[in-house]
Amino acid sequence: MTDKTYQDRLRNIAKAQGNGEPPRQTVDGDDGEASCEAFGYLRGIRDHATSIEFRFRDGNSIFFPYGLLGVWQHNPSEGLLLKFSGDLVYVVLIRGSNLDKPLKEGSINLTHAGLQRHRVLWIREMTKEEIRQVGETGPTIDLIEVAGFESNDALKEWLGKKASAFVR
């Protein structure tokens, strides 16, 4: 007898394993995905993501293709500012701490080995409890703000109000 759907096949595999759950994907070697509380990334040093997802505490997400990523800046006292240019100019302001701190394995951080190399898959706002638990041991994301602009003047005005260190 053949399984009718993909879900049926997964259930049958899970029953055969005796745990009632579908098998989980495992990561072998230096390939695959990994994450910390603040962001997810591609493990392979030569791997590149095509887009980045920003996850908000309310459950919403927004995706931007890396191909639209232009200038981005890191200022430890203000956070990260990423600029995406498409039909509008979008900026993503990321507030947090230790944004450039390497993770425990030391091969990646959010800035240089992550965003710079297009290995970051997602960045998410963390809860106060998660931020407290991570403390100074790793990166934390307090807030992500996304705004779109039709003019450079509007962009500068917004930055002046939200993150004046990035205004030039």
Side-chain angles (χ1 to χ4, degrees), residues 126-135:
M126 299 166 62
T127 66
K128 289 182 181 182
E129 178 60 23
E130 290 168 330
I131 291 168
R132 188 189 64 72
Q133 287 178 355
V134 171

Side-chain angles (χ1 to χ4, degrees), residues 148-163:
F149 304 94
E150 291 184 1
S151 73
N152 199 37
D153 291 338
L155 170 60
K156 284 184 178 182
E157 181 182 335
W158 186 85
L159 283 175
K161 293 176 184 174
K162 298 284 188 172

Side-chain angles (χ1 to χ4, degrees), residues 87-106:
D87 55 339
L88 298 176
V89 172
Y90 293 91
V91 293
V92 179
L93 178 60
I94 301 169
R95 304 262 190 197
S97 60
N98 299 319
L99 298 177
D100 60 347
K101 185 173 187 169
L103 299 182
K104 290 178 185 174
E105 62 270 5

Side-chain angles (χ1 to χ4, degrees), residues 25-86:
Q25 260 186 321
T26 58
V27 177
D28 295 320
D30 196 30
D31 295 331
E33 298 174 17
S35 65
C36 65
E37 292 292 328
F39 65 95
Y41 59 95
L42 295 172
R43 291 171 42 113
I45 198 154
R46 290 180 181 84
D47 291 341
H48 298 287
T50 57
S51 65
I52 184 168
E53 175 188 9
F54 298 98
R55 298 177 178 174
F56 303 98
R57 272 188 292 276
D58 64 6
N60 291 326
S61 294
I62 188 168
F63 296 78
F64 287 99
Y66 270 109
L68 298 181
L69 180 60
V71 174
W72 62 277
Q73 300 173 57
H74 176 235
N75 180 322
S77 65
E78 292 279 0
L80 280 171
L81 182 71
L82 291 79
K83 182 178 175 184
F84 294 89
S85 297

Side-chain angles (χ1 to χ4, degrees), residues 7-24:
Q7 285 92 7
D8 291 334
R9 286 191 298 277
L10 285 178
R11 276 192 284 280
N12 288 337
I13 291 169
K15 284 179 189 174
Q17 291 178 341
N19 63 5
E21 293 182 16
R24 295 181 184 256

